[in-house]
Each structure stands twice: as structure tokens, then as C-alpha cells.
Amino acid sequence: ETGVTQSPTHLIKTRGQQVTLRCSSQSGHNTVSWYQQALGQGPQFIFQYYREEENGRGNFPPRFSGLQFPNYSSELNVNALELDDSALYLCASSQGQGANTEAFFGQGTRLTVV
Amino acid sequence: DAKTTQPPSMDCAEGRAANLPCNHSTISGNEYVYWYRQIHSQGPQYIIHGLKNNETNEMASLIITEDRKSSTLILPHATLRDTAVYYCIVRSPYTGAGSYQLTFGKGTKLSVIP
């Protein structure tokens, strides 16, 4: 149990729709990162938030966006859903941004786009 | 980030030590070696990390060679619950506008056999 909680656990959406996924970081953690994991692949970095600002982004289009709130919880929003967006979406939290800082993952949200 | 190379799969007898190798020949002096594992359909679980010295915690030991070009994760007494995909990741320090995301490869699928 990492203390990182994600909701919902499963979600089914139709192509073209929009979706919001939520993450509550571990107590005391001010940094949240989001990852996408397609079936059979390792997780791929989407973006990172530190103290409510996005400060790093992977190779994902602008229709993937996010927010971090003052309590450091976070949302991932995906617009204009495509079939290839079907994946496990993972949130990870850490205290600070140092390379010597462990990141702890939630259990993920399984998104299916039909 | 430096690239890592891991065997795609390994077997280990229950109760024996599991030794998972990782090559990271292009690692820089300030990059850390991290290990995570992922049990089917769950979020990745942090195991251990290190810079130069060998590290040990309640889950595992991390042995880093003196030249830092390779490392070995050791699970001292493997159980069936240790069956998972193990990821070796080299993590760069945060350098400002970029990010120090975890870059997952394909990992090693460890099967612990009764």
C-alpha cells in the first residue's frame, strides 16, 4: 500500500469523448507524474507536476492535459479519445524532484475506448 | 537517460535467491539505478535504488559494479509472490525545465517456480 490512490479503477468511454482521471498523492508528496501503459508494454511518461506547475512532458499530444491542486492531488484529462488511448493510466507521487527520491505508484485506472 | 539492457525472462526456484542482472554501460556519474517491479495489472512497486554503493532493504539487495556499468538485484529467498516483471531504470537528476522521469524498458519477467 503506497498511499497513492487513483479513481476510477476502470472506465469505458466512446471514441471522441473526453475523460478525467484522478490521483491523490501520498501525504507530504508535492510531485505527481502520470504514465500510460499499453498492454504488454512498460509505462510511458506523460507529464509531471510540481507545486501545481507542469515541469516536464513526454511525447504526448496536447489533448493530454493535467492539473495539480493546492493539496497536491492531480487530474489527467484526455480530450477527443482515440482507440489507441486504451491503456492503464498510472499516477506516481514523490517528495521533491531529486533523482534520489523514490516515486510511489497508485494501482492505476484501466481506460477502455470503444 | 542511459539505456538499460535486461534479459527478457528468468526462472527461479521458490526459496532460492533470484539474481536479476542489468547492463547500463552509458550511465553517467550522477545517475541513479532504480528497480521497480510490476505484478500483473497492478501499479509498479518501488524496490530499491542506489548510486555507487551496494544497498539493502527489507525487500532486496542492489549490487552495483565498481565501474557502475552493470548492477544486480538480489531477492534473497524468492517466493511465488515475487513473480512479476522487474524493471531496471537509470534516472537522471532534475535539471530544470526538463524532467527526470522514470523511463521503463521491457524489463525481465521473473517466474518463481514451486
Side-chain angles (χ1 to χ4, degrees), chain A residues 31 35 37 41-45 48 55-57 88 90 94 96-107 110, chain B residues 30 32 34 36 38 41-46 49 87 91-94 96-106:
Chain A
T31 304
Y35 292 77
Q37 186 173 23
Q41 305 294 317
Q44 299 296 308
F45 175 73
Q48 174 180 287
N55 71 343
R57 191 176 185 93
L88 180 67
L90 296 158
S94 61
Q97 305 184 93
N100 191 25
T101 304
E102 310 92 279
F104 297 97
F105 284 81
Q107 291 304 295
R110 173 72 63 187
Chain B
N30 59 357
Y32 283 77
Y34 275 76
Y36 281 79
Q38 189 172 25
S41 294
Q42 298 183 17
Q45 179 187 20
Y46 166 80
H49 74 282
Y87 296 99
R91 193 180 198 188
S92 300
Y94 181 72
S99 65
Y100 67 109
Q101 73 269 21
L102 298 165
T103 301
F104 289 81
K106 294 187 181 300

Side-chain angles (χ1 to χ4, degrees), chain B residues 16-20 37 59-60 73-78 82 86 110:
Chain B
R16 304 296 294 269
N19 296 278
L20 292 94
R37 72 180 182 184
M59 287 184 66
L73 178 74
I74 301 172
L75 307 179
H77 306 286
D82 292 323
Y86 287 76
L110 175 69

Side-chain angles (χ1 to χ4, degrees), chain A residues 64-79:
Chain A
F64 286 78
S65 63
L67 284 172
Q68 188 180 31
F69 300 99
N71 66 355
Y72 302 133
S73 65
S74 178
E75 287 182 354
L76 165 66
N77 300 290
V78 187
N79 293 322

Side-chain angles (χ1 to χ4, degrees), chain A residues 17 37 45 47 50 52 60 68 73-74 89 99 106:
Chain A
Q17 285 188 315
Q37 186 173 23
F45 175 73
F47 46 54
Y50 172 67
E52 304 178 56
F60 280 82
Q68 188 180 31
S73 65
S74 178
Y89 288 85

